[in-house]
């Protein structure tokens, strides 16, 4: 593989890792607070659809983003009501949300735009364009190292930078603020938090709101930054990969970033390797690479390489004692 | 799933699901209204499409057969306290078991092919479910996550197998060769011409047998007792000397085998070949069916029929009302799952209050139960 190919795979890795990372961090907030979230996929899909629909109609990317955030946030609230207030089964709530998202976005898309469930292509100003970092052109001239800056780090939409910025912010919030301490405590031992006079359910709702917003960003990235418009089931299981990454990272922010980069890299590699015969091993079946994130997660969960243990109170609605 | 309740049994198994269903239909109706169409007409079109003709009825029963299998799969796991989200992948892998047998033996006799294909499907589906079961029982992996991952792994693996081994040379579609007619599951229209061209086949008899078998297994055998004990309290079953590991693995294997029967209905009954992604969501419908049917065979049969109606009627409705996409059916399905599975608390407390209001003695008893419940 030559240098330009490697450069382009690395750039693609960042692009593919971005929605995974946003969704993964989204899941991190809610799961660290003790609310299991299988519905990352559904929230992203809702956000992708409404962001593209509004951006296509208004021609304004910011309104699109706002719609995406709103859609994801409302979905998160529905899930929150089911999982926190009504003390329902959190896993089933997530399954329902994912199914609802696939059905409703296709249904509304077809009824509103009549293009087989797609939204119309975005007009000028409806899409977040790549940002050139300062001096990208000049530094790009430097052999070997230049393209790393000009073509890998520079030239992405704002979402990519936001996603990676969210990692240190999340780490700080989680480990260095009062909010983070309480969030983690609510996920590990809600009774203790309750005894300390903090409202458990309110904390969990706050976490779910953050989850909704981050999923909204991830979804909007699909339809109004990476792509131009919404297509049927556009998120294509990325929400589940993000969930896998979250487990893989043992619910910690920096490992989450590396897990998402790894899974993003596999995605980028898989597209490159399609139909290419490799030396020694011959043609690698793309399906093997596609399945790798899931296989790795299963192996990790089974404790064959390290052990992934989730937040102790995860999945259990909190009932106050009388 | 399902807990202690202080409402009468009939209200718990009939009234509550019915209320949730009505709410799901109301909200889906609002969605239809939102795009400027008449929801009542849509519902009528669904009903007519499902029952209005022999063809329609046949298709309704055909889909219902699929959903009985996947519903039973989810339900048996639920009785053991396991949530099997992987029926989708298990049915998909079972399709491989069925087609391998059928491809090998489709020159022989239907009496040989069909039973062996059923065994093949059960073995493959069962194996695909038993692995997550074993991982949960022995290694402590969360079965929900593992079965989700296994759905994706199944999807990738099946595409590889189809592409690499089963696709006939020179074919473009991702599917196996068409089976010889000997390996086809006999369709009911051969004996009952009223079913028109619909694919409802003898798998429906298998579904009915399994419904009865499920009832006997879960409520009238030692294994069923052990299974339910573990589902209610895994510690109790362990102290009673049962092996939870064994129970989990066997239950999951049965669950996967049941899901695998869906492949018989589809592969031998309709497609007569293995098609990419033939399961098409039936595994997830099984979750809705099991939830609505309260994990009981009678409920599962009724819920499977309901979803059969929605699936068949939904496709017909598209022809009558081109503006209403059949995806509205997925919306109903998702809402049913949401309300019956995750939002039980929506109606239950008010129902409990309502029933507590009837009769003085019942009231005191109900209050006592409510307070007892909240302390646990």
């Amino acid at each position: 593989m030559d240098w330009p190919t490697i450069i382009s795979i690395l750039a693609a890795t960042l692009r593919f890792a971005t929605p995974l990372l946003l969704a993964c961090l989204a899941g991190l907030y809610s799961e660290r607070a003790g609310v299991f979230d299988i519905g990352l996929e559904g929230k992203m899909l809702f956000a992708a659809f409404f962001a593209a629909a509004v951006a296509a109609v208004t021609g304004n990317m910011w309104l699109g983003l706002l719609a995406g955030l709103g859609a994801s946030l409302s979905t998160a609230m529905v899930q929150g009501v089911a999982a926190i207030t009504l003390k329902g089964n959190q896993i089933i709530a997530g399954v329902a949300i994912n199914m609802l998202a696939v059905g409703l976005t296709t249904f509304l898309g077809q009824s509103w735009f009549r293009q087989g469930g797609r939204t119309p292509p975005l007009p000028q100003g409806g899409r977040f364009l790549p940002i050139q970092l300062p001096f990208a052109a000049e530094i790009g001239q430097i052999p070997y190292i230049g393209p790393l800056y000009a073509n890998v780090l520079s030239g992405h939409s704002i979402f990519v930078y936001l996603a990676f910025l969210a990692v240190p912010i999340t780490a700080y919030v989680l480990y260095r603020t009062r909010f983070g301490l309480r969030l983690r405590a609510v996920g590990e031992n809600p009774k203790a938090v309750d005894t300390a006079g903090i409202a458990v359910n309110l904390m969990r709702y706050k976490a779910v709101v953050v989850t909704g917003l981050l999923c909204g960003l991830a979804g909007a990235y699909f339809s109004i930054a990476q792509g131009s418009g919404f297509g049927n089931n556009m998120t294509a299981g990325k929400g589940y990969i993000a969930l896998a990454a979250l487990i893989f990272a043992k619910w910690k922010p920096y490992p989450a970033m590396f897990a998402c980069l790894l899974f993003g890299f596999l995605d980028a590699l898989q597209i490159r390797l399609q139909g290419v015969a490799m030396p020694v091993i011959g043609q690698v079946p793309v399906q093997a690479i596609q399945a790798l994130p899931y296989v790795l997660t299963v192996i990790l969960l089974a404790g064959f390489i390290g052990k992934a243990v989730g937040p102790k109170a995860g999945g259990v609605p909190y009932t106050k004692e009388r | 799933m399902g807990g202690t309740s202080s409402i009468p049994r009939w209200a718990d198994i009939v009234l509550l699901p019915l209320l949730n269903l009505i709410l799901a239909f109301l909200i889906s109706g609002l969605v239809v209204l939102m795009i400027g169409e008449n929801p009542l007409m849509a519902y009528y079109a669904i009903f007519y499409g499902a029952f209005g003709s022999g063809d329609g009825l046949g298709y309704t029963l055909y889909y219902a057969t699929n959903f009985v299998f996947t519903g039973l799969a989810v339900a048996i796991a639920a009785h053991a306290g396991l949530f099997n989200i992987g029926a989708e992948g298990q049915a998909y892998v079972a399709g491989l078991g069925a087609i391998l047998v059928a491809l090998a033996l489709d020159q022989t006799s239907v009496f040989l092919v069909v039973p062996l294909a059923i065994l093949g499907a059960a073995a493959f589906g069962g194996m695909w479910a038993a692995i997550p079961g074993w991982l949960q029982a022995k290694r402590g992996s969360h079965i929900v996550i593992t079965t989700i991952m296994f759905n994706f792994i199944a999807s990738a693996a099946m595409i590889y197998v189809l592409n690499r081994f089963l696709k006939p040379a020179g074919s473009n579609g991702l599917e196996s060769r068409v089976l010889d007619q000997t390996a086809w599951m006999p369709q009911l229209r051969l004996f009952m011409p009223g079913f028109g061209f619909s694919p409802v086949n003898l798998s429906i008899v298998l579904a009915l047998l399994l419904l009865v078998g499920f009832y006997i297994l879960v409520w009238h055998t030692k294994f069923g007792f052990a299974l339910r004990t573990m589902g209610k309290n895994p510690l109790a079953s362990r102290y009673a000397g049962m092996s939870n590991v064994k129970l989990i693995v066997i239950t999951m294997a049965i669950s996967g085998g049941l899901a695998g029967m869906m492949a018989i209905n589809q592969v031998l009954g309709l497609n007569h070949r293995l098609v990419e992604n033939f399961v098409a969501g039936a595994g997830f419908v099984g979750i809705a069916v099991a939830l609505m049917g309260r994990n009981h065979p009678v409920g599962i049969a009724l819920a499977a029929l309901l979803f059969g109606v929605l699936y068949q009627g939904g496709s017909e409705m598209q022809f009558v009302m081109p503006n209403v996409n059949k995806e509205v059916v997925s919306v109903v399905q998702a809402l049913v799952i949401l309300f019956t599975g995750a939002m039980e608390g929506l109606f239950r407390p008010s129902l409990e209050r309502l029933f507590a209001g009837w009769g003085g003695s019942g009231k005191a008893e109900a209050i006592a139960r409510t307070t007892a419940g909240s302390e646990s």
Side-chain angles (χ1 to χ4, degrees):
Chain A
M1 234 179 263
D2 56 343
W3 189 238
T5 314
I6 294 173
I7 290 287
S8 92
I9 290 182
L10 289 180
T13 298
L14 288 190
R15 282 199 302 277
F16 287 132
T18 295
L20 293 181
L21 184 53
L22 286 167
C24 187
L25 292 175
L28 191 144
Y29 279 95
S30 117
E31 300 213 345
R32 282 309 277 265
V35 181
F36 271 170
D37 195 352
I38 297 204
L40 298 171
E41 173 84 3
K43 288 194 280 289
M44 280 204 292
L45 197 58
F46 269 127
F49 173 73
F50 282 98
V54 169
V57 172
T58 62
N60 186 327
M61 59 187 185
W62 295 106
L63 286 180
L65 177 61
L66 211 60
L69 289 175
S72 173
L73 188 60
S74 356
T75 317
M77 287 325 282
V78 171
Q79 233 181 322
V81 168
I84 303 169
T85 305
L86 297 178
K87 306 187 200 305
N89 185 321
Q90 300 171 1
I91 291 161
I92 297 178
V95 171
I97 291 295
N98 291 342
M99 217 176 268
L100 189 65
V102 176
L104 207 55
T105 53
T106 315
F107 176 76
L108 289 179
Q110 173 62 15
S111 308
W112 286 348
F113 302 108
R114 320 252 144 149
Q115 298 180 9
R118 301 176 161 280
T119 59
L122 299 179
Q124 192 91 39
R127 187 177 168 209
F128 285 85
L129 296 173
I131 299 170
Q132 292 302 326
L133 295 184
F135 309 113
E138 289 81 350
I139 297 177
Q141 302 299 322
I142 304 169
Y144 293 105
I145 304 168
L148 268 184
Y149 178 76
N151 300 335
V152 176
L153 293 183
S154 172
H156 297 289
S157 63
I158 181 110
F159 290 87
V160 178
Y161 304 109
L162 271 180
F164 285 90
L165 195 64
V167 177
I169 295 177
T170 301
Y172 179 80
V173 168
L174 208 59
Y175 298 116
R176 295 274 178 278
T177 65
R178 187 194 302 200
F179 173 78
L181 178 69
R182 290 178 175 178
L183 185 95
R184 284 180 291 135
V186 155
E188 296 291 337
N189 192 344
K191 208 174 209 172
V193 180
D194 197 16
T195 316
I198 299 155
V200 172
N201 286 355
L202 185 65
M203 267 316 293
R204 288 190 168 171
Y205 267 114
K206 283 181 188 166
V208 166
V209 165
V210 179
T211 303
L213 292 176
L214 284 171
C215 275
L217 280 179
Y221 173 75
F222 276 105
S223 64
I224 60 173
Q226 192 183 31
S228 177
F230 176 84
N232 275 342
N233 202 7
M234 161 164 239
T235 47
K238 290 285 183 284
Y240 293 105
I241 298 215
L243 195 65
L246 182 60
I247 297 164
F248 208 71
K250 301 177 183 176
W251 292 269
K252 294 188 180 96
Y254 282 107
M257 181 178 78
F258 290 115
C260 290
L261 280 171
L262 171 68
F263 293 171
F265 172 71
L266 289 175
D267 225 1
L269 194 66
Q270 175 249 122
I271 289 172
R272 271 284 155 175
L273 287 184
Q274 253 163 30
V276 179
M278 296 285 284
V280 190
I281 39 176
Q283 198 167 323
V284 181
V286 282
Q287 289 83 20
I289 304 176
Q290 280 168 348
L292 204 52
Y294 308 114
V295 176
L296 286 174
T297 306
V298 168
I299 294 175
L300 181 84
L301 259 180
F304 292 118
I305 37 167
K307 185 88 194 135
V309 180
K312 276 196 198 65
V316 189
Y318 183 66
T319 309
K320 218 178 165 70
E321 274 190 75
R322 299 242 173 81
Chain B
M1 276 172 259
T4 52
S5 90
S6 55
I7 55 175
R9 208 172 133 71
W10 69 269
D12 191 28
I13 54 181
V14 180
L15 189 60
L16 208 52
L18 209 61
L19 281 175
N20 287 320
L21 190 66
I22 291 171
L23 189 62
F25 270 104
L26 272 179
I27 294 184
S28 326
L30 284 180
V31 172
V32 174
L33 207 61
M34 211 166 89
I35 60 157
E37 292 281 342
N38 184 346
L40 290 178
M41 276 213 1
Y43 291 143
Y44 177 74
I46 288 180
F47 185 79
Y48 189 81
F51 292 116
S53 64
D55 275 316
L57 181 64
Y59 266 102
T60 300
L61 292 176
Y62 169 78
Y63 288 123
T65 309
N66 272 347
F67 303 151
V68 165
F69 292 137
T70 52
L72 286 175
V74 177
I76 189 126
H79 277 294
L82 304 163
F83 190 12
N84 178 11
I85 305 198
E88 186 82 9
Q90 289 142 21
Y92 201 2
V93 172
L96 183 63
I99 200 76
L100 286 181
V101 171
L103 283 174
L105 299 175
D106 66 347
Q107 306 291 342
T108 55
S109 151
V110 69
F111 296 105
L112 186 66
V113 183
V114 168
L116 285 182
I118 289 176
L119 288 182
F124 273 59
M127 184 260 320
W128 201 249
I131 302 171
W134 182 81
L135 288 172
Q136 152 113 19
K138 258 314 206 216
R139 315 282 316 186
S141 333
H142 202 307
I143 202 152
V144 169
I145 306 290
T146 324
T147 46
I148 291 178
M149 298 300 141
F150 265 58
N151 282 343
F152 287 100
I153 298 172
S155 165
M158 289 295 286
I159 290 175
Y160 176 72
V161 170
L162 270 168
N163 200 21
R164 185 74 201 277
F165 302 108
L166 293 178
K167 194 171 82 170
S171 152
N172 286 325
L174 209 47
E175 52 192 44
S176 74
R177 78 166 162 85
V178 177
L179 293 170
D180 195 273
Q181 207 152 348
T182 353
W184 295 10
M185 193 69 161
Q187 297 187 331
L188 292 191
R189 62 196 170 98
L190 297 177
F191 338 106
M192 291 179 247
F195 281 122
F197 293 102
S198 64
V200 59
N201 57 66
L202 281 181
S203 307
I204 197 171
V205 178
L206 182 64
L208 293 172
L209 287 176
L210 286 176
L211 279 166
V212 177
F214 182 94
Y215 176 75
I216 296 171
L217 179 72
V218 173
W219 280 281
H220 291 284
T221 65
K222 232 167 95 181
F223 174 76
F225 178 73
L227 177 98
R228 285 179 293 125
T229 310
M230 183 179 69
K232 288 268 190 300
N233 187 346
L235 277 180
S237 62
R238 222 180 67 211
Y239 287 138
M242 302 161 186
S243 161
N244 283 358
V245 173
K246 220 161 146 192
L247 272 175
I248 291 175
V249 174
I250 295 175
T251 307
M252 283 306 286
I254 296 175
S255 176
L258 285 168
M261 293 305 102
M262 180 261 163
I264 297 295
N265 193 30
Q266 181 99 18
V267 176
L268 298 192
L270 172 67
N271 300 135
H272 305 134
R273 58 189 192 278
L274 193 68
V275 183
E276 186 203 351
N277 194 25
F278 70 88
V279 185
F284 293 110
V285 182
I287 300 174
V289 168
L291 282 170
M292 253 206 90
R294 288 285 188 266
N295 299 325
H296 190 282
V298 176
I300 288 169
L302 290 174
L305 188 64
L306 171 78
F307 281 101
V309 168
L310 286 176
Y311 265 67
Q312 164 55 16
S315 345
E316 290 293 317
M317 174 194 65
Q318 268 185 315
F319 296 111
V320 191
M321 304 172 74
N323 293 341
V324 187
N325 190 282
K326 75 164 180 203
E327 286 294 331
V328 75
V329 169
S330 325
V331 175
V332 176
Q333 178 189 324
L335 290 173
V336 166
I337 293 184
L338 186 67
F339 292 136
T340 51
M343 289 198 167
E344 281 232 301
L346 210 56
F347 288 120
R348 192 180 280 278
S350 10
L351 274 185
E352 280 172 1
R353 263 195 302 277
L354 187 71
F355 283 108
W358 287 353
S361 62
K363 189 174 181 176
E365 201 186 331
I367 290 171
R369 275 207 205 117
T370 331
T371 34
S374 67
E375 269 167 24
S376 59

